[in-house]
């Protein structure tokens, strides 16, 4: 199950999607400020959160991918 528009894709996250360098190394300062989280996380913290999110039966974890395949966003329901 996924949605596509103009080459952008919204689909459920998978274990092989786990990432760190692309979005968390370090987290954008303005993003951290606006979301109330800290600017730096260890790779272990990020990957553990990713795995925990996938395993949570109460949560649906989606990724937004750009036309070139980069992860540009995420959404939890």
């Amino acid at each position: 199950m996924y949605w596509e528009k103009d080459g952008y894709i919204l689909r459920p996250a998978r274990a092989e999607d786990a990432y760190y360098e692309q979005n968390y190394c370090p987290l954008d300062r303005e993003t951290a400020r606006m979301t109330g989280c800290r600017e730096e996380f260890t790779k272990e913290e990020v990957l553990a959160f990713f795995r925990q999110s996938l395993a949570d039966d109460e949560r649906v974890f989606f990724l937004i991918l750009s036309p070139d395949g980069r992860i540009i966003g995420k959404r939890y329901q």
Side-chain angles (χ1 to χ4, degrees), residues 8 10 18 27 35-36 38-39 41 48 51 66 68-69 74:
Y8 292 88
L10 173 69
L27 188 63
T35 59
R38 60 186 206 253
E39 290 180 35
F41 295 88
R51 287 189 297 269
S66 68
D68 66 3
K74 59 188 175 298

Side-chain angles (χ1 to χ4, degrees), residues 1-69:
M1 163 176 68
Y2 74 93
W3 298 269
E4 183 176 351
K5 176 146 176 101
D6 299 329
Y8 292 88
I9 296 173
L10 173 69
R11 65 161 173 78
R14 301 182 295 239
E16 61 268 20
D17 294 322
Y19 58 91
Y20 173 71
E21 288 82 4
Q22 184 174 320
N23 294 88
Y24 288 96
C25 189
L27 188 63
D28 174 73
R29 176 173 281 163
E30 187 66 6
T31 299
R33 185 182 74 77
M34 295 296 287
T35 59
C37 69
R38 60 186 206 253
E39 290 180 35
E40 294 192 27
F41 295 88
T42 67
K43 185 173 186 174
E44 292 76 25
E45 288 173 317
V46 172
L47 297 179
F49 177 77
F50 196 97
R51 287 189 297 269
Q52 179 183 10
S53 297
L54 289 174
D56 187 345
D57 292 335
E58 299 292 317
R59 176 182 285 187
V60 180
F61 182 13
F62 291 96
L63 294 178
I64 305 163
L65 291 88
S66 68
D68 66 3

